[in-house]
Amino acid sequence: MMKKSLVALAVLAVSGAASAQSTVTIYGLIDSYFGQTKGTGPGQTGVSQTVINSGGLQASRFGLKGSEDLGGGMKANFQLENGFNVDTGQTPNTSTTNSSIFSRQSWVGISGGFGEFKIGKMWTPFDEVKGSGAAGFDANIFAPATNVWASNGYNDRPGNSLYYMTPAFSGFTAAALYSFSENKTAARSAGRTTAFNVAYSAGPLAAALSYQNEKADGNAAAVNYTQLNGSYDFGVVKLLGAYGRVKNGTVLLNNSTANPQAAAVNTDKTTEYQIGLDFPVNSALTLSGGYARSKDKLPAAGGDVKRNGYGLAALYALSKRTNLYAGYQQAKQTQAGVGDIKITTLATGIRHTF
C-alpha cells in the first residue's frame, strides 16, 4: 500500500511539473470609434456619413496563445485568433473570413536558439514591418497612406504557409514565408505567396527592408511589393519614414467607406512614400502626423494617377490597457481628364486590450 501511494505521489509531482511548464493565455483587443466620412468626385456619393465602426486604430480581435517548455531552450507554441466588428458583433465580411473560426491567425510551431518556425496561417514578414515607418500610429483610418498607397492591397496573412524567423544578431533579424495556394490544375501550376524582411533595431534607430511576391496561379503575372521603413527617436520627437514600389499591382480608383463598390484598375508600376513625426507631449498624450504620396503608371492611355494624403492623430493613455484617440485623415486622387476624388475621415474612439 505504501509503495502504491509513493508511486501515485510521484506521478502527481511529475504531472504538476509538466503542467507548470505549459501556458495558455486568452487575450484580445476591442476598438470602436464614432465619426464621419465623406467622399467627393467621380464614383463618390458626396454625402457625409456618420458612422460607428470597429477598428479605428487596430482591428478588434480575440484569441488563444500558448507555449510548452520542451527543455533545452526549445518551446512548442501556438496561436488561434479571430476578428470581429464591435459595432455589430459580426466577423468582418470578407471572402476570406465568412466561414473561418479563426480568421486572423491559426498556427503551431517551435522556437529555440535556432529562431522560430511556424506552420499554418500567420502575418507575412512584409506585413510585420510595413507600418513601422507610418505616422498616425499606423491607424487604419488615420495613417497618411490610408486610401493613398497601392501597397495597401497586399495579402497580409495567407493560409497554407511556412514561416521562419532568425534569432537576433547584434540588432539584426530576418524572416521568410512561403504560402502554397493549392490551386494547381491540369492546365496550370499552382500560385504562391513569398515574402521576407530584414530588420535592424538598436537604440534610437530602427529600419526594415521587406519584399512580397504574390502569384494567383501559374498563368498569372506576379505582383511585387518592396518597401523600406525606418524611424529615429530623438527623444523629444520621433522621425518616421517609408519608401516603396509596387509592380503589376491593382488600385481601387474610387475607394472609400462611402463607396465600397470601387473600380479595380491594373497598374504597371507604383512609387510611394510617406514621412511623419510622433511627438510625446507627456507620459500619457502623444500626437502624430504625416504626409503620404503615391503615383501609378497605368498600362493603358489616360495618364498617370497621383494620390496624396495626410493624417493627424492624438492618443491618450487612460491606463496601460485603455486608450482614447481622435484624428483626421484626408486623401486626394488626381488623374488627367478625370475629376479629383477626395476622401475625408474625422473620428474619435476608444481601444482596450486584455
Side-chain angles (χ1 to χ4, degrees):
M1 183 70 176
M2 178 66 70
K3 289 184 178 179
K4 289 184 178 180
S5 298
L6 290 173
V7 170
L9 287 172
V11 170
L12 286 173
V14 172
S15 174
S19 62
Q21 294 173 348
S22 300
T23 61
V24 177
T25 301
I26 299 175
Y27 70 93
L29 183 155
I30 305 173
D31 182 332
S32 188
Y33 68 91
F34 165 77
Q36 285 190 330
T37 64
K38 185 176 182 179
T40 59
Q44 302 299 310
T45 64
V47 175
S48 181
Q49 188 77 270
T50 301
V51 299
I52 294 179
N53 276 343
S54 182
L57 287 179
Q58 296 172 278
S60 300
R61 80 290 299 263
F62 70 90
L64 300 169
K65 59 183 177 181
S67 65
E68 179 189 10
D69 191 343
L70 302 176
M74 292 181 59
K75 291 183 179 181
N77 310 300
F78 77 90
Q79 188 167 4
L80 303 171
E81 184 177 282
N82 191 41
F84 62 94
N85 291 330
V86 180
D87 52 322
T88 64
Q90 298 175 326
T91 299
N93 185 26
T94 69
S95 60
T96 59
T97 60
N98 283 344
S99 61
S100 300
I101 298 176
F102 300 107
S103 60
R104 290 175 59 85
Q105 296 192 78
S106 55
W107 58 265
V108 63
I110 296 177
S111 62
F114 55 85
E116 184 172 19
F117 174 79
K118 304 176 186 178
I119 181 169
K121 180 182 178 71
M122 72 287 294
W123 304 104
T124 71
F126 181 84
D127 177 85
E128 288 178 326
V129 298
K130 186 179 187 297
S132 59
F137 312 109
D138 191 33
N140 291 330
I141 60 174
F142 299 138
T146 301
N147 288 320
V148 174
W149 276 16
S151 61
N152 294 339
Y154 72 103
N155 187 355
D156 55 1
R157 50 187 188 277
N160 311 311
S161 297
L162 298 174
Y163 173 99
Y164 171 72
M165 183 175 68
T166 69
F169 297 103
S170 301
F172 285 95
T173 59
L177 173 143
Y178 189 94
S179 173
F180 300 84
S181 292
E182 300 182 0
N183 59 352
K184 183 178 181 180
T185 68
R188 70 185 187 197
S189 58
R192 78 288 182 272
T193 296
T194 57
F196 74 84
N197 72 44
V198 177
Y200 174 80
S201 180
L205 176 65
L209 175 66
S210 58
Y211 172 82
Q212 184 158 313
N213 177 288
E214 300 176 9
K215 195 173 179 66
D217 60 61
N219 299 330
V223 182
N224 299 294
Y225 302 93
T226 306
Q227 198 166 116
L228 178 64
N229 284 270
S231 65
Y232 194 91
D233 194 342
F234 291 95
V236 294
V237 69
K238 185 176 184 180
L239 177 65
L240 305 160
Y243 174 84
R245 300 184 72 176
V246 182
K247 184 178 180 181
N248 299 326
T250 300
V251 293
L252 301 178
L253 293 185
N254 300 325
N255 189 28
S256 74
T257 304
N259 178 40
Q261 305 300 322
V265 176
N266 294 327
T267 65
D268 280 342
K269 181 176 67 177
T270 299
T271 302
E272 49 195 27
Y273 69 87
Q274 65 175 319
I275 189 168
L277 295 171
D278 284 350
F279 174 59
V281 179
N282 52 44
S283 60
L285 176 64
T286 301
L287 305 179
S288 184
Y291 172 82
R293 187 171 176 83
S294 182
K295 181 179 179 181
D296 304 324
K297 182 176 177 58
L298 303 183
D304 296 338
V305 178
K306 299 178 182 178
R307 291 179 301 279
N308 61 78
Y310 65 89
L312 302 170
L315 183 66
Y316 185 81
L318 294 175
S319 69
K320 289 184 178 180
R321 295 187 295 135
T322 304
N323 301 93
L324 299 177
Y325 62 86
Y328 176 83
Q329 201 275 347
Q330 181 183 104
K332 182 179 179 181
Q333 176 178 289
T334 302
Q335 183 181 11
V338 180
D340 291 350
I341 297 171
K342 185 182 292 185
I343 301 166
T344 60
T345 300
L346 175 65
T348 183
I350 182 171
R351 177 184 64 182
H352 176 75
T353 60
F354 61 90

